Amino acid sequence: MDEQARSVLNRVIRRIPNKNIKNLLSKWNCLSADQLQALDYTKPKRMIVEHIIDCCESSNLNLKHITNLEMIYHLDNPDQGTWYACQLTDAQDDAVCVELTQFKEQFKAHLHGVIRHISIKMKKHEDDAIWIRIAWGDNFSKPNHLKPTYVVHHLHTSYVFISNLMAKHKIFLCQALVVATRHGSIKDGHLSTRSLTAMRDLLLRRYQQVFPSAQSKIQQERDSPPLHPCIGKEHSDYEEMRHQMACEAFGHGPTPKLETAVYKLETRYRGNGNLTVSDREEFFRGVVRFSSSSLLESLRNCVASGMAEGPVTPLLSAITRRGRNSFVITDKGPGVSSQASAPRA
Amino acid sequence: MDQGVLGHLMSLERAGVAQQDQHQSERIQMLKVRAVSLRAKRDQLKHQANVIKTLKDKISKNLPFEYDEEDDDDETGGFAALQRSLLTAWKMQLKDLQHAHHLIGGFDLVECKEGKSVCVSFHTAYEGVYLDTYNMELDLMRTVQISRHNIPPSFPLEVLAKQSLQKDLKVFLQTVSQNLNALAARRQQVTLVKDLVGSVEVMESNELCNILVLMCSAQSEPPRAVLCTLEYKDLTQSLPTHVSIESEDKTLSGSAQWKTNQALLLESPAHTALLTMKRMGSIV
């Protein structure tokens, strides 16, 4: 096993708590049952890593197997690192007919055509997600497996999730994706989180949305204990209305666990302060940043409890409606700027 | 003598004009009388139409009607006239509703945000079982635009919207409903294959369910694996457009029995076809 393989293995094992290593190794299915049995997980991490390296060398495993292990680790723990969303646009007529093998072949063919040394690994996960691991080299040097880019795409959707991509490789990856999925172009999705699951839940609509309908009035969560029969709620109508409004904007039940939303202001100051005329011409640059362990849930709670006045401002409801968490607000008028992407389909 | 002739001519002329005048003035009188009576009738009809319009407005706004006993005089015609006007107003309102219903293709639209947008629900069902319901909110401000929805992202909604959303809402809604029902049907078939026909393995499928690869075990000596690939190129259909059978044993895949199986997979839903094949003994 060469140096790079050892470093990759080291990095993977170091990140996992000892109790999960066994699970990962058995999923990997490269070490024999005896070897797995022989591993002692109570020893310090360093010794475990060395033991595994010895096992790999005795089984003649190489970099290919190690990168497979890394990929399995990422598949099981997708919420590592920072993920960015991109959106494919201008679907061509046969975009719907693209099937898995076709996508794989075209993607690989394109990248191999433009970069001489590159290592691409693709895996289809159970939930129809295609995971791609790319180790970039260039025309002279071998692929660098210590800084791989991970790409996740669900076929026939227009979303691509990317982690750890360097600026100089961005154009190659974008070209390959556009060609392989038969779209016209790809653009920034203005959504970045640490949790891939949250990003996927938000964009692929894997949370419960609430729509106004003739039989609306969703059930209120009965978190609070049943009230005493002698106590009556005076404002139950308003409470229900606020709850409905909050759920329509941010969803019902468990929401995608977004952590931040950033609003960049590029507006002009309009107040009556002691500013000179020239000051008023300049942009009043500011950044408003919302942070929370689960942003959508806290916003929903704000609206439902009455802390924020309804109707929900489009600046906040745009997070779910447009699936982004980074906005630029300009002077063109209230609401999200025209720079924002067109309402997503 | 000139005076005499000219004077005679003039007097004749005057007499002639006077006669015409008389006719004209008679006619004018007649027309004047007619105009007055028509105006009176117009005013009366206007008044009746206004009564019916106000009643119709009250119906659409769910306001109560007032009927005053003191108003019961010959002019307004009394209670019977009110009833008649009410009936006409109801009829007009129902006709409007029917027209609106036709315009939107029979779908149930719910108004939200005080008329700025509407929400429409698409129900899907297959083989008598209700499946998922999808909702879509349409913004009506300047042009009709899709505001939000919970249709799966792999569904080609933008394509359908580009085709018919601006031109004809009814066609758009019907096409979306048709495609969604077909998608639900295909998805349900995959679930039924997995549940009912345990011996067949689903090798490949995707969210749009436009390809399905099944691995069956043929009942032959020795038991051979047969790969059935069902392609659904037409997304409005729940039946495949193309079926191909592959097996290591070429004679098996080319046999008459498997040719009928291929036809069966083309003509009937996947789970029904597989159950029939199982019953007939082609597969395990």
Side-chain angles (χ1 to χ4, degrees), chain A residues 313-336:
Chain A
T313 159
L315 289 172
L316 287 179
S317 63
I319 300 176
T320 44
R321 221 161 253 240
R322 297 211 185 157
R324 37 186 298 182
N325 69 352
S326 156
F327 302 88
V328 176
I329 305 175
T330 58
D331 261 336
K332 294 223 173 88
V336 187

Side-chain angles (χ1 to χ4, degrees), chain A residues 72-88:
Chain A
I72 296 175
Y73 167 68
H74 274 99
L75 276 168
D76 278 345
N77 304 285
D79 299 336
Q80 308 259 340
T82 314
W83 290 86
Y84 299 90
C86 288
Q87 199 174 0
L88 295 157

Side-chain angles (χ1 to χ4, degrees), chain A residues 96-97 99-100 124 128 154-157 159 203-206 209-214 248 321 343-345, chain B residues 110 112-113 119 135 137 146-154 156 158 204-208 210-211 235:
Chain A
V96 180
C97 306
E99 42 139 354
L100 184 59
K124 187 178 173 202
D128 288 331
H154 289 250
L155 259 190
H156 305 136
T157 63
Y159 302 109
L203 287 178
L204 300 180
R205 293 181 208 103
R206 288 178 183 177
Q209 285 176 289
V210 173
F211 289 87
S213 71
E248 271 181 32
R321 221 161 253 240
R344 63 183 172 118
Chain B
V110 174
C112 31
K113 285 200 215 145
C119 193
N135 299 293
E137 197 174 319
I146 301 177
S147 166
R148 61 180 178 129
H149 62 92
N150 62 356
I151 295 175
S154 53
E158 312 88 66
E204 193 186 323
S205 136
N206 60 22
E207 228 178 280
L208 206 52
N210 60 357
I211 188 160
L235 292 180

Side-chain angles (χ1 to χ4, degrees), chain B:
Chain B
M1 181 123 148
D2 296 315
Q3 250 189 352
V5 171
L6 286 174
H8 196 60
L9 275 174
M10 265 169 62
S11 63
L12 279 175
E13 209 177 0
R14 261 185 246 124
V17 167
Q19 261 237 316
Q20 252 186 358
D21 260 346
Q22 209 183 22
H23 282 311
Q24 266 191 359
S25 64
E26 272 175 18
R27 205 172 141 66
I28 285 175
Q29 283 292 33
M30 231 170 51
L31 287 174
K32 275 192 182 153
V33 164
R34 187 120 188 270
V36 166
S37 64
L38 282 175
R39 270 194 217 112
K41 203 162 181 202
R42 177 200 70 181
D43 287 337
Q44 195 193 30
L45 285 171
K46 253 196 189 167
H47 177 72
Q48 280 182 352
N50 276 338
V51 167
I52 292 182
K53 260 195 203 159
T54 33
L55 281 178
K56 186 163 163 275
D57 275 341
K58 281 189 178 168
I59 290 172
S60 56
K61 289 186 189 139
N62 290 331
L63 293 170
F65 314 115
E66 293 118 24
Y67 177 65
D68 221 343
E69 285 290 335
E70 287 110 50
D71 279 347
D72 191 359
D73 52 356
D74 290 327
E75 242 180 67
T76 52
F79 191 63
L82 177 65
Q83 290 233 303
R84 258 177 276 135
S85 320
L86 201 57
L87 267 176
T88 323
W90 268 116
K91 191 170 149 197
M92 280 169 68
Q93 211 230 5
L94 284 174
K95 271 221 158 113
D96 280 348
L97 274 179
Q98 193 188 38
H99 184 60
H101 197 63
H102 276 150
L103 271 180
I104 58 173
F107 286 90
D108 247 335
L109 287 186
V110 174
E111 183 189 340
C112 31
K113 285 200 215 145
E114 294 137 14
K116 286 194 214 150
S117 63
V118 285
C119 193
V120 59
S121 305
F122 298 101
H123 303 284
T124 56
Y126 183 61
E127 289 190 341
V129 176
Y130 260 115
L131 300 168
D132 299 314
T133 301
Y134 301 100
N135 299 293
M136 191 190 297
E137 197 174 319
L138 295 163
D139 201 25
L140 300 173
M141 283 315 289
R142 268 165 267 141
T143 53
V144 185
Q145 273 190 337
I146 301 177
S147 166
R148 61 180 178 129
H149 62 92
N150 62 356
I151 295 175
S154 53
F155 188 78
L157 189 62
E158 312 88 66
V159 175
L160 293 176
K162 207 160 42 169
Q163 274 173 4
S164 50
L165 181 57
Q166 302 304 325
K167 280 180 271 176
D168 193 347
L169 182 66
K170 186 161 63 169
V171 167
F172 170 72
L173 292 175
Q174 281 175 347
T175 325
V176 170
S177 175
Q178 191 185 26
N179 277 286
L180 280 174
N181 270 288
L183 172 64
R186 294 195 298 270
R187 205 166 37 203
Q188 183 72 347
Q189 282 178 48
V190 176
T191 318
L192 286 171
V193 165
K194 284 187 189 157
D195 291 342
L196 298 178
V197 194
S199 54
V200 173
E201 203 184 316
V202 176
M203 301 295 292
E204 193 186 323
S205 136
N206 60 22
E207 228 178 280
L208 206 52
C209 299
N210 60 357
I211 188 160
L212 186 60
V213 180
L214 303 165
M215 173 92 91
C216 324
S217 320
Q219 211 162 54
S220 57
E221 281 310 310
R224 293 255 184 221
V226 181
L227 209 67
C228 307
T229 309
L230 284 76
E231 283 174 25
Y232 299 84
K233 289 259 160 71
D234 185 358
L235 292 180
T236 59
Q237 298 296 323
S238 58
L239 291 175
T241 48
H242 184 69
V243 173
S244 58
I245 311 271
E246 284 151 12
S247 170
E248 290 170 336
D249 186 357
K250 295 291 175 214
T251 48
L252 188 67
S253 43
S255 67
Q257 192 189 51
W258 278 95
K259 286 272 183 256
T260 42
N261 287 341
Q262 192 176 15
L264 207 61
L265 282 167
L266 265 173
E267 285 153 22
S268 49
H271 58 290
T272 329
L274 289 171
L275 285 171
T276 316
M277 278 153 63
K278 220 176 169 178
R279 228 184 15 249
M280 293 200 317
S282 324
I283 61 170
V284 163

Side-chain angles (χ1 to χ4, degrees), chain A residues 21-283:
Chain A
I21 299 181
K22 183 171 181 185
N23 213 0
L24 181 65
L25 291 176
S26 42
K27 261 196 208 150
W28 187 33
N29 212 16
C30 281
L31 299 178
S32 69
D34 300 329
Q35 285 171 320
L36 284 176
Q37 202 77 355
L39 278 169
D40 184 1
Y41 300 105
T42 55
K43 293 221 180 106
K45 201 58 91 60
R46 187 176 40 86
M47 300 190 69
I48 298 178
V49 173
E50 279 178 18
H51 195 145
I52 297 177
I53 293 179
D54 291 333
C55 295
C56 294
E57 288 195 333
S58 58
S59 311
N60 274 335
L61 299 174
N62 57 15
L63 185 61
K64 222 173 159 190
H65 299 104
I66 306 297
T67 52
N68 198 12
L69 177 70
E70 194 198 69
M71 211 162 166
I72 296 175
Y73 167 68
H74 274 99
L75 276 168
D76 278 345
N77 304 285
D79 299 336
Q80 308 259 340
T82 314
W83 290 86
Y84 299 90
C86 288
Q87 199 174 0
L88 295 157
T89 50
D90 298 330
Q92 286 162 23
D93 291 334
D94 49 353
V96 180
C97 306
V98 172
E99 42 139 354
L100 184 59
T101 25
Q102 203 182 356
F103 171 78
K104 281 184 176 175
E105 282 166 17
Q106 296 217 326
F107 186 81
K108 283 189 181 165
H110 187 92
L111 279 179
H112 280 296
V114 291
I115 300 185
R116 200 143 152 228
H117 291 117
I118 189 168
S119 160
I120 306 171
K121 215 177 180 68
M122 296 173 115
K123 244 193 220 285
K124 187 178 173 202
H125 202 44
E126 298 143 353
D127 57 352
D128 288 331
I130 304 173
W131 280 71
I132 309 172
R133 177 188 189 274
I134 308 172
W136 304 89
D138 57 24
N139 290 332
F140 307 104
S141 46
K142 292 275 178 170
N144 182 1
H145 283 275
L146 292 172
K147 292 194 182 154
T149 301
Y150 276 91
V151 179
V152 179
H153 176 55
H154 289 250
L155 259 190
H156 305 136
T157 63
S158 52
Y159 302 109
V160 183
F161 310 106
I162 303 174
S163 160
N164 208 20
L165 179 69
M166 285 200 277
K168 62 182 177 181
H169 298 135
K170 186 166 176 184
I171 184 159
F172 300 124
L173 178 63
C174 291
Q175 271 175 0
L177 284 167
V178 163
V179 165
T181 55
R182 297 250 206 281
H183 278 77
S185 58
I186 188 171
K187 61 176 181 178
D188 188 15
H190 297 284
L191 177 61
S192 78
T193 59
R194 287 190 59 86
S195 162
L196 175 67
T197 325
M199 192 183 277
R200 270 202 293 200
D201 286 346
L202 182 67
L203 287 178
L204 300 180
R205 293 181 208 103
R206 288 178 183 177
Y207 60 100
Q208 198 182 357
Q209 285 176 289
V210 173
F211 289 87
S213 71
Q215 301 96 20
S216 61
K217 304 292 172 266
I218 41 162
Q219 285 227 328
Q220 275 220 22
E221 275 121 335
R222 305 275 170 228
D223 296 326
S224 48
L227 292 176
H228 197 274
C230 295
I231 300 177
K233 271 197 170 176
E234 274 300 309
H235 297 259
S236 54
D237 284 347
Y238 292 109
E239 221 178 279
E240 260 184 47
M241 197 174 72
R242 277 200 309 261
H243 189 67
Q244 176 78 8
M245 197 164 55
C247 288
E248 271 181 32
F250 301 112
H252 184 56
T255 53
K257 270 188 158 46
L258 284 184
E259 287 135 26
T260 55
V262 173
Y263 295 84
K264 279 209 179 84
L265 300 170
E266 278 180 11
T267 51
R268 293 197 171 84
Y269 185 66
R270 285 186 227 269
N272 298 326
N274 293 334
L275 291 174
T276 60
V277 177
S278 61
D279 284 346
R280 281 179 190 260
E281 294 303 314
E282 286 287 312
F283 279 137

